[in-house]
Amino acid sequence: MVENRPWANFFAHLTLMLGVAVVVFPVYVALVASTQAPGDLLRGTLPMLPGAHGIENFTRMWQSGVSNAGAPPAGTMLWNSFIMAMAITVGKLSISLLSAFAIVYFRFRFRMFFFWLIFITLMLPVEVRIIPTFQVVADLNMLNSFAGLSIPLIASATATFLFRQFFMTIPEEMLEAARVDGAGPLKFFKDILMPLSITNIAALFVIMFIYGWNQYLWPLLITTDPDYYTIVMGIQRMTSEENPQWHLIMAAVVMAALPPVLVILFMQRLFVKGLTETEK
Amino acid sequence: MASITLEGLKKTYAGNVAAVKGVDLHIQDGEFVVLVGPSGCGKSTLLRMVAGLESITEGTLKIGERVVNQLEPAERDIAMVFQNYALYPHMTVYNNLAYGLKNRGFKKDDIDQRVRTAAKMLEIEDFLERKPRKLSGGQRQRVAMGRALVREPAAFLFDEPLSNLDAKLRVQMRVEIKQLQRRLKTTSLYVTHDQLEAMTLGDRLVVLNAGQIEQVGTPMEIYARPATMFVAEFIGSPAMNMLPLDYLAQQDTQGVLSQLPKETDTVGIRPDDMQLAPPAAPYITLNATLMLFEAAGAESHLYLNLAGSDQPTVVRTAGQPPVSEGETLQVYVTSDALHPFNSTTGKRTAH
């Protein structure tokens, strides 16, 4: 913008600040609440300034959890969530990269049929197919395991579709040049397609990781062993207790919010770099 | 280095669309052959069939003594320069050049030496560590050539490599490609729709139309003796004027047309061969009105309306004649300027 109108500037900034405040306030409350003593949050007025019990609350939540509410130590739950989210993310990315590669670059029979088959599953979220999926996972003895937590969530039509669209924008000459250069299909995939898709991979990584991290219903269904509880369902369990210990819950919430933030911060560099170095 | 032989090469797409309808051609070792034709004539398809990017429906393709119909592009020992260069955007120029060699299992030192030699030849040494997007069009073009060069293949295939460059650069690269090919003596097949590019680059020209060869010959042969009306009108700029024989006969008072074979019904005359001053040899005089005058510096183009004919006619003449638009003038044609054709067969009727 080359205009210089002080009032417009002022209002623009005011709007932005209000927006930020609306978004940031709940996070601030969670942070403040996680530093209070056990009774402080039950007095009716929410303290607005950090208390003195932060370290104590976090240590307690991290090391021992709230066992009477069925919440194991946050450390375990965070680790479980992380494994599950990573497995889902990496699994989704590799499967959808490969299937998009197949659909775009290979001429096999029923190609379009398979594409539409994948595409149709977009319309079936986990919740719709949760009963049959549970049955399958139970029959395969995958209840209470990381495999059971992640594998059923790996297949992804969304990512396949996005990669397909991206691959179709890569000029065909690129493939032809690679063929003349003696690159077979897998070499082409590894040396040309993957590096070109790196920004898409980064963006999808973030989305998929958060999707996996926030899974609630599925882990709740298939885990009965506290060793496999994830942080999101742990938090839910603590809140449904008779006397919820809000200071500990908030400590868990803050910890649960950190990994997605870190993933975004780390991946952002990759895809911002990708965006600024736009390739033709 | 090898010859390339095309025997009855055909390409038919699904739905019985014939793109290439039987092409026979022998390209000698070290020869520079240009495939030229209007868009959609099948020239690119033909090149891609030689490259192995397009399957061959019928016929035999030999590179050297080897029949390569079924071989992958990489196994045919050819290198190709694409119209949009198709450089790998995420690799440095060095790696773009080295990629094909790496895939073929060359040793590191060998790759390095070849890349540096090619880079030196094309004067792209300074950009070896840059990515293609930081290069200008001309530099990308050089890199694309370099990628072909490093492999020292049996043949170079060029698919309209200069059409994305601006006019000045195009002329410069044209000269460089020609010099490079002379120096390396690598068999080359070059596709273009630009007849000037074709004329200046090729040892031999192959004029294609609608999937078939119209004429094969050296550029001057084709220019001087176009075998069909299509070639006559396609090669040369401005295009050859085509006049009905009957019309010319009405103006022929000196017997200029008497030597023409009797199946002739159309006569082609190059814009350069129409003179504004009466020549010494017997001639036909044509009365015309000047519709438009184009001065192009060293030469001028005169767009004429011939009296008693609706055929637009162009005359090219050196310098700037003292004429003005709307004025009537006479143009003169001698017998050696005539290219006799039969419009039914489209073929030339005499040598």
Side-chain angles (χ1 to χ4, degrees):
Chain A
M1 296 270 269
V2 278
E3 292 176 272
N4 185 18
R5 290 190 215 150
W7 279 104
N9 257 339
F10 173 76
F11 279 114
H13 281 91
L14 191 72
T15 317
L16 287 174
M17 279 189 270
L18 283 175
V20 169
V22 167
V23 175
V24 167
F25 185 65
V27 179
Y28 176 74
V29 170
L31 231 124
V32 167
S34 67
T35 59
Q36 305 297 329
D40 289 352
L41 291 166
L42 300 171
R43 286 198 198 120
T45 47
L46 217 51
M48 277 298 115
L49 290 172
H53 302 271
I55 294 171
E56 182 190 323
N57 291 347
F58 278 93
T59 325
R60 162 115 196 264
M61 195 58 226
W62 179 267
Q63 282 171 353
S64 51
V66 185
S67 48
N68 55 342
T76 317
M77 292 197 291
L78 283 168
W79 178 245
N80 291 345
S81 277
F82 183 74
I83 301 265
M84 181 179 78
M86 280 308 274
I88 290 174
T89 309
V90 173
K92 265 181 191 285
L93 284 174
S94 14
I95 285 194
S96 43
L97 269 169
L98 284 171
S99 42
F101 178 52
I103 282 171
V104 175
Y105 287 100
F106 290 84
R107 307 268 168 277
F108 53 90
R109 284 181 116 210
F110 306 122
R111 193 166 64 103
M112 282 324 278
F113 170 76
F114 281 112
F115 170 68
W116 284 108
L117 202 68
I118 294 172
F119 195 61
I120 287 171
T121 62
L122 263 178
M123 300 159 197
L124 295 176
V126 184
E127 289 73 16
V128 175
R129 55 182 170 87
I130 205 153
I131 304 295
T133 312
F134 181 83
Q135 184 66 45
V136 170
V137 169
D139 288 350
L140 289 172
N141 284 326
M142 294 201 300
L143 297 177
N144 286 320
S145 71
F146 286 123
L149 276 172
S150 50
I151 290 174
L153 301 178
I154 277 179
S156 173
T158 323
T160 309
F161 188 68
L162 286 174
F163 280 126
R164 170 185 179 263
Q165 298 307 96
F166 173 69
F167 288 170
M168 298 213 310
T169 65
I170 294 179
E172 203 165 330
E173 280 89 350
M174 206 66 79
L175 169 69
E176 290 171 350
R179 280 177 72 190
V180 174
D181 266 344
L186 282 179
K187 254 206 176 117
F188 173 68
F189 182 70
K190 181 174 73 83
D191 293 343
I192 316 270
L193 270 191
M194 290 276 284
L196 286 180
S197 341
I198 198 74
T199 55
N200 295 48
I201 293 177
L204 278 168
F205 189 97
V206 170
I207 296 170
M208 296 304 175
F209 184 86
I210 291 170
Y211 164 86
W213 186 263
N214 288 343
Q215 278 304 313
Y216 167 64
L217 188 57
W218 181 248
L220 188 69
L221 264 185
I222 72 151
T223 54
T224 46
D225 180 347
D227 284 350
Y228 291 101
Y229 283 2
T230 62
I231 188 84
V232 175
M233 63 179 281
I235 291 168
Q236 172 63 24
R237 272 169 176 275
M238 288 190 282
T239 57
S240 47
E241 197 202 354
E242 206 170 316
N243 290 314
Q245 306 197 37
W246 287 107
H247 58 296
L248 294 177
I249 295 173
M250 286 305 152
V253 164
V254 171
M255 286 192 272
L258 273 181
V261 170
L262 290 178
V263 165
I264 290 174
L265 285 180
F266 176 71
M267 282 295 168
Q268 198 184 17
R269 257 188 261 157
L270 248 179
F271 63 70
V272 167
K273 186 174 148 215
L275 288 178
T276 50
E277 290 184 9
T278 317
E279 330 252 8
K280 264 215 291 189
Chain B
M1 309 256 170
S3 62
I4 303 176
T5 312
L6 289 67
E7 284 166 11
L9 226 51
K10 282 188 193 169
K11 175 76 195 180
T12 315
Y13 286 110
N16 233 1
V17 185
V20 176
K21 300 170 187 161
V23 166
D24 293 287
L25 181 65
H26 180 76
I27 302 167
Q28 280 157 21
D29 188 5
E31 198 177 14
F32 197 135
V33 170
V34 178
L35 292 173
V36 62
S39 42
C41 71
K43 56 190 190 301
S44 276
T45 311
L46 192 60
L47 185 82
R48 292 162 55 82
M49 283 160 84
V50 175
L53 298 170
E54 205 80 65
S55 66
I56 296 168
T57 314
E58 217 176 292
T60 318
L61 172 66
K62 284 190 209 161
I63 295 178
E65 290 308 304
R66 213 156 52 118
V67 175
V68 296
N69 281 34
Q70 301 299 330
L71 294 185
E72 270 290 300
E75 299 164 331
R76 295 191 182 191
D77 197 15
I78 47 101
M80 186 150 168
V81 180
F82 294 86
Q83 180 174 0
N84 65 4
Y85 319 138
L87 301 176
Y88 310 122
H90 58 291
M91 294 186 192
T92 59
V93 169
Y94 184 97
N95 285 330
N96 262 288
L97 298 193
Y99 188 61
L101 300 174
K102 276 183 197 156
N103 287 338
R104 284 176 175 74
F106 279 79
K107 291 215 176 59
K108 253 205 157 96
D109 307 345
D110 196 14
I111 293 178
D112 192 64
Q113 196 220 324
R114 278 168 180 250
V115 169
R116 300 217 178 265
T117 315
K120 196 168 178 192
M121 212 182 295
L122 293 163
E123 294 163 21
I124 50 172
E125 293 155 294
D126 296 343
F127 321 128
L128 279 178
E129 295 314 317
R130 285 199 212 166
K131 298 251 177 91
R133 88 186 98 80
K134 304 258 156 126
L135 303 180
S136 69
Q139 292 164 343
R140 286 182 204 188
Q141 171 62 46
R142 283 163 198 271
V143 177
M145 302 246 307
R147 193 162 63 174
L149 226 65
V150 283
R151 299 239 320 273
E152 297 173 15
F156 289 139
L157 307 176
F158 298 91
D159 189 5
E160 309 207 16
L162 304 183
S163 51
N164 283 356
L165 299 178
D166 61 52
K168 196 177 162 199
L169 211 50
R170 198 177 308 164
V171 174
Q172 186 194 337
M173 286 309 292
R174 193 172 78 201
V175 173
E176 287 189 25
I177 289 180
K178 179 94 181 165
Q179 286 172 339
L180 205 62
Q181 201 272 343
R182 283 265 166 80
R183 187 136 53 105
L184 299 171
K185 295 192 170 52
T186 306
T187 316
S188 300
L189 189 56
Y190 187 107
V191 162
T192 179
H193 61 264
D194 180 341
Q195 50 95 19
L196 184 65
E197 219 170 281
M199 291 287 289
T200 48
L201 274 174
D203 295 329
R204 271 199 305 161
L205 247 55
V206 177
V207 185
L208 279 173
N209 183 31
Q212 273 167 325
I213 291 185
E214 291 271 337
Q215 190 175 4
V216 182
T218 64
M220 279 325 288
E221 268 168 33
I222 288 182
Y223 186 79
R225 302 222 166 276
T228 65
M229 286 172 74
F230 174 83
V231 177
E233 288 180 287
F234 190 76
I235 299 289
S237 172
M240 189 186 275
N241 300 302
M242 289 291 175
L243 297 171
L245 183 66
D246 297 349
Y247 172 75
L248 282 178
Q250 288 164 23
Q251 335 283 330
D252 182 22
T253 52
Q254 302 185 11
V256 174
L257 299 171
S258 58
Q259 300 295 317
L260 296 184
K262 58 177 180 308
E263 61 275 24
T264 309
D265 62 1
T266 303
V267 174
I269 306 162
R270 293 227 178 263
D272 317 54
D273 293 335
M274 293 198 154
Q275 302 170 36
L276 294 175
Y283 55 83
I284 303 175
T285 311
L286 300 172
N287 290 305
T289 318
L290 181 61
M291 300 307 291
L292 186 73
F293 178 77
E294 271 181 2
E299 59 179 48
S300 306
H301 302 157
L302 283 66
Y303 292 82
L304 303 177
N305 250 2
L306 295 182
S309 162
D310 50 6
Q311 200 73 28
T313 305
V314 186
V315 173
R316 177 159 75 178
T317 179
Q320 275 200 37
V323 290
S324 55
E325 285 173 10
E327 113 182 26
T328 54
L329 44 83
Q330 279 81 41
V331 288
Y332 307 94
V333 179
T334 58
S335 67
D336 47 358
L338 307 177
H339 298 264
F341 295 102
N342 180 300
S343 63
T344 322
T345 60
K347 294 218 160 66
R348 192 183 184 88
T349 53
H351 294 291

